């Protein structure tokens, strides 16, 4: 069953995107860090909030939860982390949920946080702070191998999957990507394209997984060009994929 819904970004804080899915009547939001902009978007479009999807416990993703559920009594799907309140459906790897007539599968993608999950629909992925356009989330609670494994799971999805991440970090991410993969001409084109989008104040997301695989260094731990840069910059801490990934992520942390 395919039901058509629209997906729009709601801007929150300085660089968060709260994704709004709606069919003209009913709406679902992903990671509402702030209730204000969500309530405004709902009333502007005359939508009823039916559900909320949460990817992880950070405040900029859950801060609007209490106010929104108090105002709408909507259902909330979220990770198995009791710290996130209120959640009506705790979900984990392989669970399926239905919103706006479409099935979504839950993927566990720990690394940025231990509770981080992503929601995969037909050709779309809501991945919170795990994979960003041109980058990935900081490894706060997990380990580098854990994060790489989570990104490897995402990398195996259909390359045409649209990646809906939770922040507009793209230009800064791409600056690092160029440092890590300087001879990547596809990346060069992406930088030009994203710069022109930002000049017009247009979001650079969602992106397409195939473009991430071609240009995002955090999906390119096994690309010889990325490995060569790490060697040249003395950032390589070992030669297996986890070492390459850790070397890259630690370099980006200080970049
Ligand atoms: Zn976060
Ligand atoms: Fe965040």
């Amino acid at each position: 069953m395919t039901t058509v819904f629209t997906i729009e970004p709601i801007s929150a804080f300085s660089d968060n995107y709260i994704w709004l899915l709606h069919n003209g009547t009913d709406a679902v939001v992903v990671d509402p860090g702030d209730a204000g902009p969500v309530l405004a978007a709902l009333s502007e479009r005359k939508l009823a909030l039916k559900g909320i999807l949460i990817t992880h416990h950070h405040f900029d993703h859950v801060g609007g939860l209490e106010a929104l559920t108090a105002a709408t009594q909507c259902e909330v799907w979220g990770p198995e982390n009791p710290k996130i309140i209120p959640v009506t459906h705790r979900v984990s790897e392989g669970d399926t949920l239905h919103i706006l007539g479409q099935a979504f599968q839950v993927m566990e993608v720990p690394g940025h946080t231990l509770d981080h999950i992503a929601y995969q629909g037909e050709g779309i992925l809501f991945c919170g702070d795990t994979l960003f356009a041109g980058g990935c989330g900081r490894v706060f609670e997990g380990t580098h191998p854990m994060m790489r494994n989570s990104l490897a799971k995402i990398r195996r999805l259909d390359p045409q999957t649209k990646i809906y991440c939770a922040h507009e970090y793209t230009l800064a991410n791409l600056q690092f990507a160029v440092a890590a993969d300087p001879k990547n001409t596809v990346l060069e084109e992406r930088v030009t394209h994203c710069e022109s989008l930002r000049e017009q104040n247009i979001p650079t997301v969602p992106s397409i997984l195939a473009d991430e695989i071609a240009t995002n260094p955090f999906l390119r731990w096994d690309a010889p060009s990325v490995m060569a840069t790490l060697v040249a910059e003395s950032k390589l801490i070992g030669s297996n994929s986890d070492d390459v990934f850790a070397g890259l992520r630690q370099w980006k942390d200080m970049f």
Side-chain angles (χ1 to χ4, degrees), residues 53-65:
L53 304 182
I54 298 292
T55 63
H56 67 294
H57 68 85
H58 282 161
F59 180 77
D60 62 311
H61 300 252
V62 303
L65 205 41

Side-chain angles (χ1 to χ4, degrees), residues 209-253:
L209 180 58
D211 295 335
E212 298 303 336
I213 292 170
T215 62
N216 185 331
F218 295 102
L219 294 184
R220 294 171 58 73
W221 55 80
D222 43 11
S225 58
V226 171
M227 170 89 89
T229 313
L230 287 179
V231 172
E233 298 281 335
S234 310
K235 307 286 186 195
L236 197 67
I237 54 178
S239 58
N240 69 41
S241 292
D242 285 327
D243 295 331
V244 173
F245 182 82
L248 263 178
R249 186 57 254 184
Q250 284 165 359
W251 181 15
K252 172 72 161 64
D253 289 344

Side-chain angles (χ1 to χ4, degrees), residues 4 32 41 54 68 79 106 108 127 156 163 183 194 196:
V4 179
I54 298 292
L68 289 173
V106 176
E108 289 180 3
C127 58
R156 288 192 291 270
I163 304 294
K183 291 185 184 135
C194 289
S196 98

Side-chain angles (χ1 to χ4, degrees), residues 16 55-61 112-113 116 128-130 132 137-138 140 166-167 169:
N16 279 73
T55 63
H56 67 294
H57 68 85
H58 282 161
F59 180 77
D60 62 311
H61 300 252
H112 175 69
T113 61
H116 208 305
D129 290 354
T130 298
F132 289 128
R138 267 180 195 259
F140 283 125
H167 289 271
Y169 287 159

Side-chain angles (χ1 to χ4, degrees), residues 25-49:
T25 311
D26 296 335
V28 170
V29 290
V30 185
D31 284 352
D34 193 0
V38 174
L39 292 170
L42 293 170
S43 84
E44 225 170 81
R45 295 165 181 77
K46 300 190 170 41
L47 300 169
L49 187 66

